[in-house]
Amino acid sequence: MAGEITETGELYSPYVGLVYMFNLIVGTGALTMPKAFATAGWLVSLILLVFLGFMSFMTTTFVMEAMAAANAQLRWKRMENHKEEEEDDSSTGSDSDVLIPDSYERAEKRPILSVQRRGSPNLFEITDRVEMGQMASMFFNKVGVNLFYFCIIIYLYGDLAIYAAAVPFSLMQVTCSAIGNDSCGVEADTKYNDTDRCWGPLRRVDAYRIYLAVFTLLLGPFTFFDVQKTKYLQILTSLMRWIAFAVMIVLALVRIAHGHGEGHPPLADLSGVRNLFGVCVYSFMCQHSLPSLITPVSSKRLLTRLVFLDYVLILAFYGLLSFTAIFCFRGDSLMDMYTLNFARCDVVGLAAVRFFLGLFPVFTISTNFPIIAVTLRNNWKTLFHREGGTYPWVVDRVVFPTITLVPPVLVAFCTHDLESLVGITGAYAGTGIQYVIPAFLVYHCRKDTQLAFGYGTVNKHRSPFRHTFWVGFVLLWAFSCFIFVTANIVLSESKL
């Protein structure tokens, strides 16, 4: 849950942490990126991708600095508590200089931190897993905390809506065609409408809604219970993801090398920038999960450099995936979910590979949906929680799971436009989580650190972007993006 200090978990090496972060960032958003690239033009897309990757790296370092500051405050409070306990013991103890065995044993077991002085180099070590909600409660006022939870909740709703639409959409595309059930899925140069026939009298949109209903009935009940992501499930989904991405990149490169590339993307098309921005922000999202990702890293001495290396690798991967896609396929033939472009007989001859790629989002997204739903439900509980209060059984077990599950399913019922769903989620809630919250967290944690430990105290995990200018720059960029996206949506709607 986003609002508490949780167990750190089993430690792992910095390089394992690098792999985990890569897997966390490279997810569903990557599958919608090729179409966004083709719509906005390859040069504009490349520039925006690199810039947004840089901005995401900057705010990631902001969150790590805030995590270290939060750990320092918690550690200092524990030290003060130990000091008070020692004073109590000394005031009630004997004046004799003889050290009795009991007091000797207590002195031997006393934590080293209890005798460290202010300015200790270990004060800012990230050892406690302090989630973003707890950091918000430490550094923000009540209004700021409520706004934080509101932003997290909106983002998670968008996440669930994307997941709820992606699975039925993939199933519909793979199993339906204009002439009936076809193992090749989407044929070349064929554009389908929702009103086209799928099976007999059933339209494609009817098949989509049937799949959505089955998806909701199968996975929705998990929202009413507690679900934990197992280590082996994570390994399995990561393995499937890498096989799918590698196969798509190789197949696209082979088609281009054989002269079968159909793509001629424009240099720039500003009309597609709005969706591209949202997709890129969504595709670099990791800030809300950094505490659970960074805290278990065993050695954090070179943490910032490793995170920078991770972002460079992710940029290279996104560029490779998107550029091979836009030069392999025509822009108007690229699907919202890129895997579906390989469900064509003229692209992939082997039926097993077609079905694996076409159904890849179904397997990976289905395992994440219950986890995101439970996270959203718990954030709702935290937002309305009052100190010392408990919820009635009906509210706890029925109301909160219901308000978690119903809205995203309704959104998915109304639309399966994944590019727009990802774009809007990333452009609004994603901007808040990736830019606004980290900027305010690092600004307030720096002020609190100076007040608590003095102006000479140095946070060993402070961001390389330590000047206040960078905080203002991030907030100005976030505000500009909000205005641009909103104006673009209004203008687009007015044209229609």
Side-chain angles (χ1 to χ4, degrees):
M1 189 158 59
E4 58 185 20
I5 302 172
T6 53
E7 293 294 329
T8 300
E10 185 180 350
L11 297 181
Y12 44 72
S13 72
Y15 296 102
V16 172
L18 182 144
V19 173
Y20 282 173
M21 176 174 280
F22 196 106
N23 285 339
L24 173 70
I25 295 177
V26 179
T28 314
L31 298 179
T32 62
M33 191 174 285
K35 184 176 180 180
F37 257 63
T39 306
W42 68 267
L43 182 60
V44 169
S45 299
L46 180 61
I47 293 172
L48 191 61
L49 180 69
V50 172
F51 180 72
L52 292 180
F54 165 75
M55 295 294 289
S56 180
F57 169 72
M58 187 194 306
T59 55
T60 295
T61 63
F62 285 172
V63 174
M64 291 193 300
E65 181 176 341
M67 287 166 56
N71 271 263
Q73 288 204 16
L74 292 172
R75 189 169 289 112
W76 186 253
K77 287 179 182 178
R78 285 198 291 266
M79 292 165 63
E80 290 296 314
N81 290 337
H82 280 298
K83 185 178 179 181
E84 290 176 3
E85 291 175 4
E86 290 171 5
E87 290 175 352
D88 290 341
D89 290 343
S90 62
S91 64
T92 56
S94 170
D95 291 335
S96 172
D97 291 333
V98 178
L99 186 66
I100 59 175
D102 182 58
S103 63
Y104 176 81
E105 183 180 354
R106 188 165 62 249
E108 284 294 298
K109 292 181 178 179
R110 184 179 303 142
I112 297 175
L113 287 173
S114 65
V115 295
Q116 286 182 342
R117 297 291 180 243
R118 182 174 298 184
S120 165
N122 295 322
L123 199 62
F124 291 90
E125 280 291 352
I126 303 174
T127 55
D128 286 328
R129 180 175 156 186
V130 187
E131 301 288 357
M132 285 191 75
Q134 178 67 13
M135 286 191 282
S137 65
M138 292 173 69
F139 300 126
F140 296 164
N141 58 24
K142 186 177 180 181
V143 175
V145 172
N146 288 336
L147 288 175
F148 163 81
Y149 278 107
F150 176 77
C151 189
I152 286 285
I153 286 169
I154 294 299
Y155 174 77
L156 292 175
Y157 267 133
D159 235 4
L160 289 178
I162 293 164
Y163 287 4
V167 171
F169 180 73
S170 296
L171 288 169
M172 177 192 71
Q173 288 293 136
V174 170
T175 59
C176 291
S177 72
I179 58 173
N181 224 355
D182 189 296
S183 62
C184 292
V186 184
E187 294 294 343
D189 302 322
T190 302
K191 300 294 287 185
Y192 293 127
N193 295 317
D194 284 349
T195 54
D196 292 336
R197 298 294 178 184
C198 181
W199 313 303
L202 285 179
R203 301 170 300 168
R204 288 169 62 84
V205 68
D206 297 327
Y208 167 79
R209 288 170 179 170
I210 290 172
Y211 284 131
L212 176 59
V214 173
F215 175 83
T216 305
L217 290 174
L218 289 177
L219 297 181
F222 287 103
T223 311
F224 295 80
F225 307 101
D226 288 324
V227 181
Q228 295 295 326
K229 189 171 186 178
T230 66
K231 174 182 177 181
Y232 300 105
L233 187 61
Q234 184 177 353
I235 293 173
L236 177 62
T237 54
S238 297
L239 183 63
M240 289 181 63
R241 177 189 299 130
W242 282 110
I243 292 173
F245 281 130
V247 169
M248 288 188 293
I249 291 173
V250 169
L251 287 175
L253 286 173
V254 169
R255 280 179 61 83
I256 294 171
H258 289 170
H260 298 150
E262 305 168 351
H264 301 284
L267 200 66
D269 186 352
L270 296 181
S271 63
V273 171
R274 185 238 309 177
N275 266 345
L276 174 67
F277 168 76
V279 168
C280 289
V281 170
Y282 186 83
S283 299
F284 281 113
M285 187 65 66
C286 68
Q287 284 73 9
H288 59 305
S289 299
L290 284 175
S292 60
L293 201 65
I294 297 298
T295 308
V297 173
S298 56
S299 174
K300 303 178 179 69
R301 190 168 57 89
L302 302 175
L303 193 59
T304 302
R305 295 180 185 177
L306 286 174
V307 171
F308 177 76
L309 174 62
D310 228 344
Y311 271 90
V312 171
L313 293 175
I314 290 165
L315 275 174
F317 176 79
Y318 281 164
L320 180 62
L321 180 71
S322 300
F323 273 87
T324 54
I326 62 177
F327 284 101
C328 180
F329 300 100
R330 294 195 324 271
D332 60 350
S333 69
L334 278 168
M335 307 291 291
D336 285 350
M337 193 68 68
Y338 180 49
T339 50
L340 297 174
N341 280 92
F342 295 90
R344 288 167 33 176
C345 289
D346 63 318
V347 177
V348 181
L350 194 61
V353 177
R354 287 199 303 271
F355 276 110
F356 170 72
L357 292 177
L359 298 176
F360 160 72
V362 176
F363 303 126
T364 56
I365 290 174
S366 295
T367 58
N368 287 333
F369 185 87
I371 300 161
I372 301 297
V374 170
T375 303
L376 175 56
R377 183 200 68 191
N378 291 340
N379 274 280
W380 270 122
K381 290 182 180 180
T382 305
L383 179 61
F384 289 106
H385 181 69
R386 294 295 175 265
E387 193 68 31
T390 57
Y391 296 114
W393 184 88
V394 174
V395 174
D396 185 61
R397 292 296 182 178
V398 178
V399 174
F400 282 123
T402 301
I403 65 174
T404 296
L405 183 62
V406 171
V409 172
L410 287 178
V411 171
F413 183 84
C414 296
T415 180
H416 55 68
D417 187 350
L418 293 174
E419 189 184 13
S420 294
L421 286 174
V422 172
I424 292 173
T425 301
Y428 287 106
T431 296
I433 294 173
Q434 195 166 140
Y435 301 141
V436 179
I437 292 174
F440 278 114
L441 273 178
V442 79
Y443 176 76
H444 286 288
C445 87
R446 287 171 180 174
K447 289 179 62 177
D448 286 7
T449 299
Q450 290 176 351
L451 289 173
F453 307 114
Y455 286 89
T457 307
V458 177
N459 186 337
K460 64 179 295 183
H461 292 293
R462 64 181 178 177
S463 168
F465 310 95
R466 60 197 63 167
H467 198 281
T468 310
F469 163 79
W470 292 109
V471 177
F473 177 72
V474 169
L475 292 174
L476 180 62
W477 168 249
F479 179 74
S480 302
C481 292
F482 178 84
I483 296 297
F484 167 76
V485 171
T486 305
N488 194 285
I489 292 175
V490 172
L491 291 174
S492 299
E493 292 296 327
S494 61
K495 288 179 182 178
L496 294 175

